Amino acid sequence: MRYRTIGTDPATRREVSVLSLGAMLFGSATDEATSYAILDRYVEAGGTFIDTSDNYAFWVDGGQGGQSEELLGRWRRSRGVGAEIVIATKLGARPLAPGTSYLDNAEGLPATVIRESAERSRDRLGVERLDLLYAHIEDRAVPLQETVEGFAELVTEGTVGLLGASNHRAWRVERARALAAAAGLPGYEVLQYHRSYLPNRTDLPSDLDPDGEPGGVSGDLLSYLRAEPELTLVAYSPLLKGAFTRADKPLSPAYDLPSAPRRLKALGDVAGQCGATVNQVVLAWLLGGELPSIPLVGASSVAQLEESLAAVDLELTAEQRHRLDTAW
C-alpha cells in the first residue's frame, strides 16, 4: 500500500492510503459477515481510509440511513480499531422521515443540523472525533456563512478533524472557502466527486441541479484543483459500478460521448500490455495522473476488493499514460 497526506494543518491533517474503501452498502445490501471480511482484508492490505455517510443506505429499506455507520461502529469495536483508521462520513442528505429522500426532504446544512447529525455519526461510529466530515450536497436555502461557521465550530471544539464537500458547484466551494479564510476559520480541504477514465456529461439536467450534474468532475473543478494544489480529490464510482467489464452493467447515456469508443480501446490495449484488468488500469490512471486522485472503490466481495488493491502497485509507463491521455 502507498500513502499520502490530506489536509494542511498539523493538528488535523492525516496520512491515508491512496485507495479508499466505500462502505455505502455495508450493513444493508451487503450482509455483516461479508462486510467484515472486506473490511478486514482492506486493513490487512494496509488500507486506512474508509468512506461512509449518515444517509447510507436509506434507499435499501426506505428508512433514513445509518446502517453503514452502525456496522462500521460494530466492526471497530469487535476488532479494536482505533485512530489508525481514518473514517470519513457525510451529512446534509439524510432524509428527515422514512419514505422520503434527499431530493424532497433532506436534513440540509443549517448549523443545528450539522451539530446534531455529526453527534449521531460519532455515536454510531463509536468515535470521539470524526476524522473527515463532508457536506454531502448543497443547501442553498441556508446562508453559506451559517454552514461554514457550523462546520468550523466542530473543528474548533475538537469533535471533527478535516472538512470536505461533495456534489457542490466549484464556485460554491470557493465561496465557502473564501468565507472561512476571511474569518480565520477552517474550511473545506477534501473534495469528493465522481471521476473515472471515461468522462461523463455534466451538462445534462440532474435531480440535484437543473443546470447539470454537480457531482461530476467538470472542467471548472479540474481548473480549480490545478490552482489549489493543497486540496485533495477523492474520486467516487471510478469503476462505473462495473460497467467497464460487465455486460449486465451497461454504460449510462451520460458516458455516450464521441470519445468513448477510442478511450475504451485505449484502456483495453494498455491493460493487455500490462497484463492487468481494465479496472486496474482505470485506478492506476487516477492514482498517478497529473492531478492525482484517491479512488474510492466499493466492493461486495473480497475478490472484487483484491482486484482494486492490486492496482496500487500498477505503474503505467509514460508511453501508456500518453496513450490513455490522448485518446479523444
Side-chain angles (χ1 to χ4, degrees):
M1 184 57 70
R2 292 184 283 124
Y3 303 88
R4 60 177 289 185
T5 299
I6 59 174
T8 56
D9 187 333
T12 56
R13 68 188 180 199
R14 296 297 305 272
E15 185 179 70
V16 298
S17 54
V18 296
L19 189 74
S20 180
L21 177 64
M24 177 187 286
L25 298 178
F26 290 0
S28 55
T30 304
D31 64 62
E32 189 140 335
T34 303
S35 300
Y36 277 35
I38 294 168
L39 288 162
D40 290 345
R41 176 59 188 130
Y42 175 70
V43 172
E44 179 186 48
T48 63
F49 194 15
I50 299 172
D51 184 86
T52 186
S53 174
D54 70 347
N55 73 342
Y56 291 165
F58 76 87
W59 56 92
V60 173
D61 62 4
Q64 293 173 274
Q67 303 99 309
S68 174
E69 289 183 334
E70 289 168 354
L71 180 135
L72 288 172
R74 293 193 297 272
W75 171 75
R76 287 185 71 261
R77 289 188 291 273
S78 72
R79 302 301 194 256
V81 170
E84 70 277 9
I85 302 299
V86 174
I87 297 182
T89 193
K90 313 175 196 72
L91 57 79
R94 174 178 174 268
L96 288 174
T100 62
S101 81
Y102 59 85
L103 296 175
D104 59 1
N105 197 27
E107 61 184 352
L109 297 173
T112 53
V113 166
I114 291 170
R115 177 171 294 280
E116 292 167 2
S117 293
E119 183 176 354
R120 276 195 301 269
S121 291
R122 290 199 308 274
D123 288 345
R124 289 179 182 136
L125 292 167
V127 297
E128 293 183 1
R129 182 169 88 163
L130 300 172
D131 299 310
L132 168 58
L133 181 62
Y134 293 99
H136 202 163
I137 58 175
E138 291 185 16
D139 182 359
R140 299 194 187 182
V142 172
L144 195 51
Q145 184 81 35
E146 179 181 342
T147 296
V148 167
E149 292 175 353
F151 276 113
E153 283 179 4
L154 301 185
V155 176
T156 301
E157 293 170 4
T159 55
V160 170
L162 293 167
L163 299 175
S166 181
N167 306 305
H168 281 54
R169 291 290 183 193
W171 70 266
R172 292 277 293 181
V173 174
E174 170 57 19
R175 184 167 293 179
R177 295 182 70 236
L179 286 169
L185 300 173
Y188 300 142
E189 294 190 84
V190 185
L191 306 183
Q192 185 179 129
Y193 287 78
H194 169 51
R195 192 185 190 200
S196 183
Y197 176 67
L198 279 188
N200 65 303
R201 294 186 60 181
T202 56
D203 61 318
L204 298 173
S206 75
D207 291 333
L208 288 174
D209 192 330
D211 294 322
E213 174 53 59
V217 170
S218 64
D220 276 349
L221 189 66
L222 287 175
S223 177
Y224 185 53
L225 289 165
R226 290 182 199 280
E228 303 290 341
E230 75 278 9
L231 295 176
T232 300
L233 176 64
V234 175
Y236 71 76
S237 297
L239 303 180
L240 307 185
K241 302 179 180 179
F244 281 113
T245 57
R246 292 176 54 177
D248 62 328
K249 297 278 189 177
L251 282 170
S252 159
Y255 301 93
D256 188 16
L257 295 168
S259 62
R262 290 187 290 275
R263 290 180 81 77
L264 288 172
K265 185 179 187 308
L267 270 181
D269 290 346
V270 172
Q273 293 172 2
C274 295
T277 68
V278 166
N279 285 338
Q280 288 167 346
V281 173
V282 171
L283 296 177
W285 179 79
L286 287 167
L287 284 165
E290 181 187 356
L291 288 173
S293 309
I294 296 178
L296 171 55
V297 297
S300 58
S301 69
V302 172
Q304 288 181 354
L305 175 63
E306 295 286 6
E307 180 184 19
S308 295
L309 288 171
V312 174
D313 295 323
L314 177 59
E315 294 286 348
L316 300 175
T317 67
E319 181 181 354
Q320 289 167 343
R321 191 165 289 281
H322 178 74
R323 170 82 171 93
L324 294 168
D325 290 343
T326 57
W328 290 105

